[in-house]
Amino acid sequence: MGSLPPLDAPLPLGPEAFLDESRPVIDFLNGYYRDIESYPVRPDAEPGWLRTLLPDVPPEHGDPVEAILEDVQQHIIPGLTHWQSPNFFAYFPANGSAAGLMGDMLTSGLNVVPFSWASSPAATELESVVVDWMCKLLGLPDRFLFSCGGRGVLHGSTCEGVVSTLAAARDRALRSLGHEGIVRLVVYASDQSHATFQKGTSIIGIPPANFRIIPTSASSGYGLTADSVYDAVEADIASGLVPLYLCATIGTTGVGAVDPVRGLGEVARRYCMWLHVDVAFAGSALICPEFRDCINGAELADSVSMNPHKWFLTNMDCCCLWVANPQVLTSALSTNPEYLNNIGKGGTEVIDYKDWQIALSRPFRAMKLWVVLHRYGAAGMRAHIRRHVEMAKWFERMVRADERFEVVTPRSFSLVTFRLRPQNELEDEISVDALNRKLLVAINTSGRAFMTHFVVDNKFVIRMAMGGAMTQMRHVRDAWKLVKEKAKEVGAFPREYAQVREMN
Ligand code: PLP
């Protein structure tokens, strides 16, 4: 048996240890953000490379914080994709902020676990206040407010919210169908909906064959039309199936398409389907009245989810989920072991957020979202969103004004999709795609920007998603310059181009 440590050994969370070890981390992060533009946005890392640099087993005796930070600088930073770089335009942003970090420090510093009201009353109550604030800020219908019988919760991700609402809808339907009815339930989404709906459908036990992917087209801006859902539902009913759940998205991941919520809501009501509205990314823009039309009809929805960890300056992770009828959700997700029951104050009148999610334990996410709102205010957040939308408008104008390129789908919020257009009528789509793939690889291997792609209508498009907390107009201008420079390098501009107008 090894010897016991001395009883007076320093405590891992003692006040001195805490200050001595957290200050160097703040200094380190300060240096990281100061120098972030000097790192290639996406690393040139080989798979498995980090394993060759680190020991096979953890150290027997711990190292001081300085040595750990040195390892981070030497071994970890060079292999990171720098999501907070102002030149990060890939996927959708996961922007953070000083307030987001401050909130996150409070969250992990206090390190409470609010799975039930009694397990941390103020954390539970702050969560219910902050989701109401967000509901009002986004202009969602009152039915999602606590005072009107609806309620919100903070999950870690949209995926978790989707599985939870699918389970709620399933259980509601199976109450009348009986458990064996699960094989008859059908979930509807579009070919632009996030993959999480398909995954969630199979997680909750619905046969994969009962997941309908309804095609969209350019004529509806890649939005899911109510007519197409109606037709799919009617066909399923005729085959003895039962429509369960319909997903509408505002701001799809690929091209930022906006589904017509009211039309879809009317179809959902007609067939007693659960309507979920996914505003993961674009929900942040709903705080600006000029984007509110998108949410028209949300009073017909059963649930809405939005990710503050994308475009809302809230460090990972945070997803608001609102439900109009919380009881349906909690009856699907509740567990009531004796050891978790509130004894004394609280009783059964209070919220136990464990019954609103998949896991039991959960962090105090409300703190960081509350700090962000507290620090920047609604006006500050609107200005933040509008800045990125203006940048996207500028980028879109540049692409449109240069006849070598085309904007492939209409700009949506702060997302622009573009590509090199075919160089003449004879060029086939396969070679245009190949050229655009080469262009994207050249942009990203430069390390000066990072963008990602999508395929829509069989066209390979490059996505330029604005949203970095440190992104300024100069970064967007540089990105456009980079696109043009790399386009030349990959041989995109032979003589056939009639009049190439160099912009800027
Ligand atoms: N829905 C949409 C429209 C998204 O764009 C994304 C992620 O980009 C998701 C859902 C998944 O979000 P999460 O990673 O929080 O599960």
Side-chain angles (χ1 to χ4, degrees):
M1 224 170 78
S3 57
L4 289 171
L7 291 178
D8 57 355
L11 297 171
L13 199 55
E16 295 81 21
F18 179 72
L19 271 188
D20 289 350
E21 309 210 355
S22 56
R23 277 194 182 130
V25 176
I26 294 290
D27 290 342
F28 177 87
L29 287 175
N30 187 39
Y32 173 69
Y33 284 119
R34 188 193 55 221
D35 300 338
I36 197 164
E37 285 188 59
S38 67
Y39 300 116
V41 188
R42 204 196 54 180
D44 183 22
E46 293 297 327
W49 141 93
L50 184 61
R51 188 170 277 279
T52 64
L53 297 176
L54 299 182
D56 286 343
V57 291
E60 180 63 22
H61 300 286
D63 290 316
V65 65
E66 290 74 17
I68 295 168
L69 292 175
E70 184 57 28
D71 271 0
V72 175
Q73 186 65 48
Q74 291 300 320
H75 301 321
I76 309 293
I77 297 279
L80 291 182
T81 297
H82 299 283
W83 280 69
Q84 303 312 314
S85 164
N87 299 311
F88 182 98
F89 303 106
Y91 311 110
F92 277 140
N95 66 25
S97 62
L101 175 65
M102 182 193 358
D104 217 9
M105 279 163 48
L106 287 167
T107 296
S108 58
L110 297 171
N111 208 22
V112 299
V113 188
F115 50 65
S116 63
W117 180 85
S119 73
S120 211
T124 297
E125 294 190 14
L126 187 64
E127 187 159 336
S128 56
V129 169
V130 91
V131 286
D132 260 9
W133 280 12
M134 289 294 287
C135 182
K136 291 176 190 167
L137 265 184
L138 267 62
L140 297 179
D142 286 353
R143 71 196 296 246
F144 294 109
L145 291 173
F146 273 64
S147 53
C148 300
R151 274 174 196 180
V153 57
L154 295 178
H155 283 182
S157 70
T158 296
C159 297
E160 194 184 336
V162 164
V163 172
S164 305
T165 54
L166 277 164
R170 175 201 59 193
D171 286 4
R172 185 177 68 176
L174 295 185
R175 246 171 263 141
S176 52
L177 288 176
H179 194 74
E180 53 292 349
I182 195 162
V183 294
R184 294 171 58 207
L185 301 177
V186 187
V187 174
Y188 301 84
S190 89
D191 57 3
Q192 303 297 317
S193 305
H194 197 273
T196 187
F197 290 93
Q198 189 156 14
K199 187 174 182 172
T201 300
S202 81
I203 288 176
I204 64 149
I206 292 180
N210 292 9
F211 184 76
R212 298 279 169 272
I213 302 177
I214 302 174
T216 60
S217 69
S219 62
S220 64
Y222 301 96
L224 178 60
T225 64
D227 284 350
S228 60
V229 178
Y230 175 85
D231 290 346
V233 168
E234 280 291 319
D236 282 330
I237 291 174
S239 319
L241 298 174
V242 179
L244 177 74
Y245 186 104
L246 170 61
C247 152
T249 308
I250 296 174
T252 60
T253 316
V255 300
V258 174
D259 293 337
V261 176
R262 178 168 302 286
L264 296 178
E266 283 163 2
V267 178
R269 281 280 164 102
R270 179 168 178 172
Y271 295 102
C272 299
M273 274 191 283
W274 183 290
L275 177 69
H276 181 80
V277 183
D278 171 8
V279 297
F281 164 68
S284 296
L286 298 178
I287 65 169
C288 303
E290 62 270 29
F291 294 115
R292 285 278 166 76
D293 281 357
C294 297
I295 202 78
N296 196 329
E299 67 278 9
L300 301 174
D302 294 281
S303 51
V304 179
S305 55
M306 174 267 179
N307 283 359
H309 70 216
K310 281 192 164 52
W311 194 12
F312 209 74
L313 298 177
T314 307
N315 294 35
M316 284 286 289
D317 57 4
C318 189
C319 172
C320 301
L321 170 72
W322 294 273
V323 287
N325 183 349
Q327 247 194 326
V328 187
L329 183 74
T330 55
S331 68
L333 301 178
S334 286
T335 50
N336 287 306
E338 187 53 45
Y339 48 83
L340 293 178
N341 286 342
N342 292 317
I343 298 286
K345 279 190 198 161
T348 54
E349 300 305 303
V350 292
I351 292 182
D352 290 333
Y353 273 125
K354 70 179 173 57
D355 298 333
W356 292 62
Q357 61 172 30
I358 297 163
L360 168 64
S361 299
R362 60 204 309 275
F364 186 6
R365 293 190 184 95
M367 173 59 86
K368 63 185 167 187
L369 184 53
W370 181 66
V371 170
V372 166
L373 290 167
H374 211 332
R375 176 73 188 86
Y376 301 129
M381 294 307 295
R382 283 192 289 269
H384 153 76
I385 295 297
R386 286 176 178 145
R387 208 163 56 82
H388 293 130
V389 173
E390 287 310 309
M391 288 173 187
K393 283 184 183 168
W394 181 89
F395 192 86
E396 180 192 28
R397 274 201 307 279
M398 291 302 107
V399 176
R400 284 195 193 283
D402 190 323
E403 61 197 15
R404 299 166 297 185
F405 292 91
E406 64 183 350
V407 171
V408 182
T409 55
R411 175 188 56 79
S412 180
F413 306 98
S414 65
L415 173 68
V416 180
T417 66
F418 69 99
R419 68 168 190 164
L420 283 160
R421 63 163 87 235
Q423 299 184 13
N424 56 53
E425 280 169 15
L426 299 176
E427 193 175 24
D428 60 50
E429 282 296 337
I430 295 174
S431 23
V432 180
D433 274 7
L435 194 61
N436 279 290
R437 277 176 199 273
K438 260 167 91 176
L439 172 59
L440 181 60
V441 169
I443 291 167
N444 291 342
T445 47
S446 78
R448 287 155 54 196
F450 181 32
M451 301 174 195
T452 47
H453 75 280
F454 189 60
V455 174
V456 59
D457 271 348
N458 294 319
K459 291 177 190 161
F460 180 93
V461 299
I462 302 177
R463 296 169 70 265
M464 171 86 176
M466 253 64 67
M470 289 197 282
T471 302
Q472 297 171 312
M473 228 13 252
R474 72 182 167 91
H475 301 105
V476 181
R477 277 197 207 100
D478 286 350
W480 175 233
K481 245 186 233 156
L482 176 68
V483 169
K484 290 188 295 178
E485 184 188 311
K486 294 296 164 192
K488 270 188 195 138
E489 273 178 38
V490 299
F493 302 132
R495 289 214 184 85
E496 288 94 282
Y497 273 112
Q499 298 149 336
V500 172
R501 277 179 289 142
E502 279 291 342
M503 303 297 300
N504 300 310

